[in-house]
Structures are given as C-alpha cells and as structure tokens.
Amino acid sequence: MMRLQTIALLLTALSFPGCNVDNEHTPVDHKDDSADYRTQVWDAVQQRVGSALTPVASDANFAGVWDVYFDMFGNRQPMFRYDFKSAATVEIVSLQGNDQTPQPDQYVVKREGQLSICGESYHAATTENGELVLFNGDSSLVLIAIKR
C-alpha cells in the first residue's frame, strides 16, 4: 500500500505546471528524443545564453521587428530580421548575401515552449532580458532574437 501511495505522490508532483517544459513529450525534431534529453538541452541553452529561460506561452505576441542572431557559443552572427505582422504572419529578411527582400511566411506557437516558423519547429523561450531564443532538439542551432 505504501508503494502505491509513493507512486501516486510522485505522479502528482510531476504533473504540476512548471515542473517540466511540457508534460507531454512532443518532439520538435528527430533529435528531441526524450523528456530527459529535452531537460538537458534546455539546461545547456540556459548556460549558453547566460540566462534562465521561460518557455514561450501559447498565447505569446511577438508583434514588431526582431533582429535574429545565430549564436556560436557566445559569438553572435546576424542572420535574419523577423517582422511579426499579426498573430500568424511574419516577414523574414535574410541578412546573409545581397538579396534582402522580405519573404512572407507563417508562424505558430504550437504549445508552450514550442514555435514553428517557416515550417521548422523549435523550442522557444525568452530570457530574463526579453530576448527570444529558438533552438533545435540538440541545441546545435541556437537563434537569439532581440526586439528593436
């Protein structure tokens, strides 16, 4: 009987909001293979960006222009400019090369801590400074967006 009570208590504790990024493991990509690995990746990205991360809420509003940098372990390289126009529309300008024509696209916050943009899914969080951090399942790709 004591064992059943312990298991019930453990399951209750794990189901509280905020104990995990998402109670249901839905991978952002093929590298995001388990909830335990996801926790390790989130911890590594927090260290990499030097800030605690808060998962993006499902009702997040990104309206405005954001400068997006590719983070190479502390060295940030300008990559894109995202201009979030409405709840589902974004114009993306590549800062690489000569063609800086805005390309319209769609985005959606699939669930807390998960954003899809240009058909790609990412973990999505904000830093203590309000930066938007997007990263893939193993943190080999980390994008940091700063609102203008």
Side-chain angles (χ1 to χ4, degrees):
M1 186 66 161
M2 182 63 137
R3 188 172 201 200
L4 288 176
Q5 290 173 333
T6 303
I7 292 171
L9 180 61
L10 180 61
L11 289 174
T12 301
L14 291 175
S15 67
F16 275 59
C19 288
N20 199 348
V21 173
D22 191 339
N23 290 335
E24 179 183 316
H25 181 75
T26 304
V28 294
D29 60 23
H30 67 282
K31 300 171 187 177
D32 185 19
D33 63 5
S34 72
D36 290 337
Y37 184 65
R38 174 180 287 177
T39 299
Q40 293 173 22
V41 168
W42 276 74
D43 290 344
V45 172
Q46 287 182 111
Q47 289 179 344
R48 188 167 166 175
V49 301
S51 175
L53 296 177
T54 301
V56 168
S58 58
D59 62 350
N61 181 352
F62 304 110
V65 178
W66 298 70
D67 293 319
V68 182
Y69 300 86
F70 175 64
D71 180 80
M72 296 184 295
F73 298 97
N75 293 321
R76 295 181 179 183
Q77 301 296 319
M79 291 298 291
F80 306 104
R81 185 172 49 250
Y82 290 170
D83 186 356
F84 290 97
K85 299 288 189 182
S86 70
T89 304
V90 60
E91 284 187 353
I92 301 170
V93 174
S94 173
L95 302 178
Q96 306 297 307
N98 294 329
D99 183 14
Q100 295 192 353
T101 305
Q103 300 296 318
D105 215 313
Q106 301 292 309
Y107 78 95
V108 63
V109 178
K110 291 183 166 186
R111 60 179 24 96
E112 180 179 314
Q114 201 171 97
L115 178 115
S116 178
I117 189 167
C118 301
E120 296 288 328
S121 290
Y122 300 96
H123 294 297
T126 55
T127 67
E128 294 164 329
N129 296 328
E131 299 168 318
L132 174 63
V133 181
L134 304 175
F135 53 102
N136 65 349
D138 69 354
S139 77
S140 59
L141 173 68
V142 177
L143 300 173
I144 300 172
I146 300 170
K147 193 168 186 176
R148 287 185 174 185

